[in-house]
Amino acid sequence: MTFEQVKQKLDGSVMPTYARFGAALVSGRNATAKGVDGKEYIDFTSGIGVNCLGYADEKWAAAVARQAAAIQHISNLYYSPVQAEFAEKLCRAAGMSKVFFGNSGAEANECCIKLARRYGEDALGIRGPEIVTLNNSFHGRTVTTLAATGQEGFHEHFLPLTDGFRYADADMGSVKSRVTEKTCAVLLELIQGEGGVVPMDRAFVRELREFCDEKKILMMVDEVQTGVGRTGAFYCYQNYGILPDAVSSAKALAGGIPMGACLCREEFGSLLGKGAHGSTFGGNPLACAGGLAVLERVGRPEFLKEVRAKGAYFSEKLKAMPGVSGVRGMGLMLGAKPEKGPAGEIAAKCVENGLLILTAKDVLRLLPPLTITKQETDRGLAILEKTLRAFA
Ligand SMILES: Cc1ncc(COP(=O)(O)O)c(C=O)c1O
């Protein structure tokens, strides 16, 4: 099939919810993808932060293939050795005690929200507990995670949303003003990804941790985009030197197989008892095999050190690049603000020139595979520089 044939077929039968770029991808190795027409692309996207080990990593692919050939799915009616192993190792990497597995970031947040509501009811005796989230946040596309998302643009046309969310700015004064006797939790991203790669202030995060302790409300961190090595720590809260009460994780968790997880500390680990929550696919053996292959690599201190070094290299090159007016982010989660031209148009031109890159609000967003090589990095940055020059 040619690109045009793929486009026509897909547009003919898939709902038009996505603004797609002009490339149809069929294969890849590490941070280099190949299109239907044989064209090569350097990938600074990882499929929006999913392919942490790049495309078709040999060990990851072999682990998933082995699992598929042994037993691919069993439901949660039975015990799974591979789920048991992954759950134990993931909890250890996160510094958490219990995990619930789902299939996406939105579902991971749904579980955090249910956990917090249950905590509000059971531990704090609140009827109709509320959760404070931040303005400019993004927590997913289900009706409840849209409600948790502090951006009105996402709410339009889908009202009424789930009740029980109050939005605050990312400062303690604002958070305190939104907390009431009905508040059971605060949920936040430590770097707002879809919001434009906006890192939270360190002092704010640490003060928020203390405040939640004082008020006996849960501090929940959405690590869907920032998690699994992306920022140079396994979870971004480890960079901030805090431990949340609950964490949502997804995207890179199984290296390209749908998986989401809500993790929590020991004291909250039995709030959701038998029948309180569930998922047919959650923690299925295939996803857990992918997750174990990811964890075995990304969980290593040397690997995370390399992510930090790669992030510093990217950041330094971007800061020095003509046409870039500012760079923010952490590790390999970076936002580069273009001096001229809408980010979306620049990204579309980059694709034409052989570079896959994301946008978030007014920045070009970079989430390359954590395994990206120096050669791939330099090739991609050269394409970006050439593209930006055309917009100068
Ligand atoms: C911080 C954050 N939370 C939640 C989500 C939703 O994840 P999913 O698309 O897997 O439901 C995303 C997706 O971009 C995200 O960035």
Side-chain angles (χ1 to χ4, degrees), residues 123-147:
L124 306 178
I126 303 169
R127 275 174 67 88
E130 290 176 350
I131 297 173
V132 173
T133 66
L134 297 189
N135 288 315
N136 198 47
S137 57
F138 183 81
H139 297 295
R141 301 276 195 164
T142 61
V143 172
T144 297
T145 54
L146 273 184

Side-chain angles (χ1 to χ4, degrees), residues 211-366:
F211 176 74
C212 290
D213 281 341
E214 229 171 77
K215 291 276 175 195
K216 296 196 171 16
I217 60 180
L218 302 187
M219 181 181 189
M220 309 199 291
V221 175
D222 179 340
E223 291 265 4
V224 169
Q225 196 161 142
T226 48
V228 193
R230 175 58 52 195
T231 66
F234 193 77
Y235 282 119
C236 190
Y237 55 79
Q238 292 157 335
N239 286 325
Y240 281 83
I242 58 134
L243 195 65
D245 298 308
V247 186
S248 56
S249 186
K251 285 195 185 281
L253 200 51
I257 296 180
M259 173 173 251
C262 163
L263 296 121
C264 70
R265 288 158 79 143
E266 180 63 25
E267 50 272 49
F268 313 111
S270 48
L271 281 168
L272 296 177
K274 286 186 179 50
H277 202 37
S279 164
T280 297
F281 283 111
N284 106 340
L286 204 60
C288 288
L292 272 173
V294 166
L295 202 50
E296 272 159 21
R297 299 263 290 286
V298 180
R300 293 210 176 131
E302 320 84 78
F303 187 99
L304 294 168
K305 195 172 159 199
E306 260 185 54
V307 172
R308 294 195 290 275
K310 287 176 187 183
Y313 182 76
F314 259 99
S315 187
E316 178 198 321
K317 292 283 173 190
L318 287 167
K319 280 179 185 156
M321 192 175 285
V324 173
S325 66
V327 179
R328 52 185 189 238
M330 222 181 264
L332 286 172
M333 177 168 182
L334 294 168
K337 187 151 171 21
E339 262 165 20
K340 292 216 179 91
E345 280 180 33
I346 297 170
K349 200 72 192 159
C350 281
V351 175
E352 272 179 40
N353 291 338
L355 173 69
L356 310 179
I357 193 163
L358 301 158
T359 64
K361 296 274 168 77
D362 60 350
V363 300
L364 293 162
R365 182 172 39 143
L366 289 79

Side-chain angles (χ1 to χ4, degrees), residues 12-329:
S13 47
V14 176
M15 285 189 199
T17 59
Y18 302 106
R20 295 179 201 263
F21 290 107
L25 307 175
V26 289
S27 63
R29 275 276 173 280
N30 204 37
T32 309
K34 208 170 243 182
V36 269
D37 40 14
K39 181 170 164 174
E40 269 192 4
Y41 300 88
I42 295 296
D43 178 20
F44 284 179
T45 75
S46 317
I48 323 188
V50 168
N51 303 324
C52 53
L53 300 177
Y55 293 113
D57 175 78
E58 270 178 31
K59 283 193 182 144
W60 173 87
V64 170
R66 252 195 325 271
Q67 188 61 52
I71 193 162
Q72 80 278 28
H73 177 80
I74 57 172
S75 85
N76 283 301
L77 294 174
Y78 310 100
Y79 284 86
S80 157
V82 62
Q83 187 184 105
E85 202 179 333
F86 182 54
E88 191 182 70
K89 288 191 168 153
L90 180 64
C91 284
R92 199 176 308 137
M96 293 283 140
S97 170
K98 290 283 191 304
V99 58
F100 175 87
F101 290 116
N103 313 283
S104 67
E107 277 181 86
N109 282 327
E110 289 269 352
C111 182
C112 282
I113 292 162
K114 283 179 79 171
L115 187 82
R117 286 183 165 196
R118 200 62 203 257
Y119 171 76
E121 242 187 57
D122 294 6
L124 306 178
I126 303 169
R127 275 174 67 88
E130 290 176 350
I131 297 173
V132 173
T133 66
L134 297 189
N135 288 315
N136 198 47
S137 57
F138 183 81
H139 297 295
R141 301 276 195 164
T142 61
V143 172
T144 297
T145 54
L146 273 184
T149 293
Q151 298 192 57
E152 262 180 33
F154 285 102
H155 299 175
E156 264 168 37
H157 311 298
F158 301 108
L159 303 176
L161 299 177
T162 309
D163 278 343
F165 293 93
R166 290 165 69 84
Y167 314 108
D169 291 330
D171 67 74
M172 279 315 300
S174 180
V175 170
K176 282 179 182 171
S177 75
R178 309 305 286 153
V179 167
T180 69
E181 69 288 348
K182 289 188 119 190
T183 307
C184 63
V186 177
L187 168 68
L188 79 163
E189 301 156 86
L190 294 176
I191 304 176
Q192 293 181 330
E194 304 304 310
V197 191
V198 183
M200 292 295 120
D201 177 67
R202 201 176 166 80
F204 164 65
V205 172
R206 295 173 79 108
E207 213 183 314
L208 181 62
R209 175 65 278 184
E210 281 171 23
F211 176 74
C212 290
D213 281 341
E214 229 171 77
K215 291 276 175 195
K216 296 196 171 16
I217 60 180
L218 302 187
M219 181 181 189
M220 309 199 291
V221 175
D222 179 340
E223 291 265 4
V224 169
Q225 196 161 142
T226 48
V228 193
R230 175 58 52 195
T231 66
F234 193 77
Y235 282 119
C236 190
Y237 55 79
Q238 292 157 335
N239 286 325
Y240 281 83
I242 58 134
L243 195 65
D245 298 308
V247 186
S248 56
S249 186
K251 285 195 185 281
L253 200 51
I257 296 180
M259 173 173 251
C262 163
L263 296 121
C264 70
R265 288 158 79 143
E266 180 63 25
E267 50 272 49
F268 313 111
S270 48
L271 281 168
L272 296 177
K274 286 186 179 50
H277 202 37
S279 164
T280 297
F281 283 111
N284 106 340
L286 204 60
C288 288
L292 272 173
V294 166
L295 202 50
E296 272 159 21
R297 299 263 290 286
V298 180
R300 293 210 176 131
E302 320 84 78
F303 187 99
L304 294 168
K305 195 172 159 199
E306 260 185 54
V307 172
R308 294 195 290 275
K310 287 176 187 183
Y313 182 76
F314 259 99
S315 187
E316 178 198 321
K317 292 283 173 190
L318 287 167
K319 280 179 185 156
M321 192 175 285
V324 173
S325 66
V327 179
R328 52 185 189 238

